[in-house]
Amino acid sequence: MKNIIFLGAVLITLSFISCDDFLTESSQDEVRPNTTTDLEELLLGEGYASRTPIFPYLELLTDNVESNYSNATGQETMLLNGAPVFTWAEDMYEQLQKNNVPWYNSWQNLYHWINGCNVVIDQLPLVTGSKQAKERLKAEALGLRSFYYFMLVNAYAVPYNTEDSGANTAPGIPLILKSTVKDEFPKRNSVAEVYEQIVKDLLEARNLFAKNGVVNHSVYTVSPLFIDMLLARVYLYEGKWDEVIKYSSSVIEQKPALLKLRQFYTYDEWQGVVMYDIAKGGIYNSSSRN
């Protein structure tokens, strides 16, 4: 009788344990990376823009385009889809969303990709892999994040200007350098602080690439050539001419075969190239303005 009671108690205990395991919550769509290979895949999926345009509407904010509007079926709808942009509507993003225009929220998209880069950088010390592989991957993530911040600060802040030191106080964009989620609205850093962070990260990435090299490099991913090219552009915006010459020369040395577009298009032909089509209907073409 005692044996039966003991066996029954064991079975009840085991049933509670199994139920507890069964009811334990676990994420079905999140996987913690364990190796540098996992982080490489994460960067490709969550860090790179892939085929998503960053600023597909940018030309509509300028006077570089004109509409070949006609009364043909569907043309009016396409024209109205782009109206929130070329009319400079204060709620442009909201209207584009209402019009079901894809890829409309560049701010949201860019910070999503920045977070992907931050996750990779933060997780590198926690995964297995060689030091060389980790440092190469960090260089790639730093370079990619710098590019996104360069795009953001030039789209949503005033231009960098060293002459009147306006960049030191002019509001730029929030610098989010960690993947940790905080329950607070991020503050905007100054334009100068954003540029300083961009240059700092690019120089670190450059040193890491020089130290560890590139293995199985793809033309679609960040490389030492990409780093030097972006450094030259950033220094150009800052007006640091000696640095521009230094890194531009490095780019030319690495890739001396420059492509002359004139052998493909005459000037008049280039003026007729489609610059933008927000609804893929061909209604926005470059103008022939001089």
Side-chain angles (χ1 to χ4, degrees):
M1 183 66 180
K2 290 181 180 180
N3 291 336
I4 295 175
I5 293 175
F6 176 76
L7 179 61
V10 170
L11 291 174
I12 292 173
T13 302
L14 289 174
S15 67
F16 276 119
I17 293 174
S18 61
C19 287
D20 183 64
D21 291 340
F22 177 76
L23 295 175
T24 300
E25 293 185 7
S26 60
S27 174
Q28 301 300 312
D29 58 359
E30 295 181 5
V31 178
R32 181 177 293 276
N34 296 311
T35 66
T36 51
T37 300
D38 293 339
L39 289 181
E40 287 176 1
E41 294 175 356
L42 177 63
L43 187 63
L44 285 173
E46 298 296 324
Y48 279 93
S50 187
R51 296 185 178 182
T52 303
I54 296 178
F55 293 110
Y57 51 81
L58 201 58
E59 281 292 339
L60 286 184
L61 292 168
T62 72
D63 61 354
N64 295 332
V65 294
E66 63 183 4
S67 172
N68 293 331
Y69 172 74
S70 70
N71 293 323
T73 303
Q75 291 288 300
E76 182 178 2
T77 299
M78 288 183 280
L79 185 66
L80 292 176
N81 282 346
V85 184
F86 62 74
T87 59
W88 285 73
E90 292 185 358
D91 58 344
M92 181 185 81
Y93 284 156
E94 288 78 9
Q95 289 194 41
L96 290 176
Q97 182 182 24
K98 183 179 179 180
N99 294 341
N100 295 317
V101 176
W103 312 305
Y104 64 90
N105 199 331
S106 302
W107 178 277
Q108 178 178 305
N109 290 339
L110 283 162
Y111 274 106
H112 171 81
W113 297 320
I114 285 173
N115 185 65
C117 296
N118 287 338
V119 170
V120 170
I121 295 171
D122 291 346
Q123 291 294 316
L124 275 171
L126 307 178
V127 301
T128 60
S130 67
K131 180 181 178 181
Q132 186 181 38
K134 289 183 179 182
E135 292 188 345
R136 280 199 302 262
L137 189 55
K138 183 178 181 180
E140 190 174 337
L142 285 172
L144 190 57
R145 187 177 72 180
S146 297
F147 171 69
Y148 293 145
Y149 275 128
F150 185 64
M151 299 293 286
L152 276 166
V153 75
N154 282 286
Y156 296 101
V158 298
Y160 188 99
N161 191 329
T162 57
E163 294 181 1
D164 59 7
S165 300
N168 292 324
T169 56
I173 55 170
L175 282 173
I176 302 176
L177 306 176
K178 293 290 183 180
S179 59
T180 306
V181 178
K182 296 182 179 180
D183 188 19
E184 61 184 29
F185 196 80
K187 297 179 180 179
R188 295 173 70 177
N189 295 80
S190 69
V191 172
E193 289 173 332
V194 176
Y195 270 80
E196 182 180 353
Q197 185 67 47
I198 291 172
V199 171
K200 176 179 177 292
D201 287 347
L202 287 175
L203 292 177
E204 182 180 356
R206 193 175 195 270
N207 291 334
L208 289 172
F209 271 133
K211 179 181 175 183
N212 297 284
V214 182
V215 178
N216 297 325
H217 169 62
S218 168
V219 295
Y220 300 106
T221 57
V222 172
S223 66
L225 183 67
F226 174 93
I227 298 296
D228 284 355
M229 185 168 58
L230 186 53
L231 274 169
R233 179 57 62 91
V234 174
Y235 283 129
L236 177 66
Y237 281 35
E238 290 183 322
K240 298 180 179 178
W241 314 122
D242 291 340
E243 300 300 320
V244 175
I245 294 172
K246 174 183 176 181
Y247 291 104
S248 296
S249 299
S250 176
V251 171
I252 294 173
E253 289 173 3
Q254 296 177 66
K255 207 76 172 178
L258 300 180
L259 186 65
K260 294 182 179 180
L261 294 178
R262 282 188 301 176
Q263 62 184 310
F264 297 99
Y265 294 105
T266 66
Y267 179 77
D268 290 337
E269 289 173 338
W270 176 250
Q271 289 296 306
V273 173
V274 174
M275 296 292 290
Y276 178 75
D277 182 357
I278 198 169
K280 297 184 178 179
I283 64 170
Y284 298 113
N285 297 322
S286 63
S287 68
S288 57
R289 301 181 184 93
N290 293 325

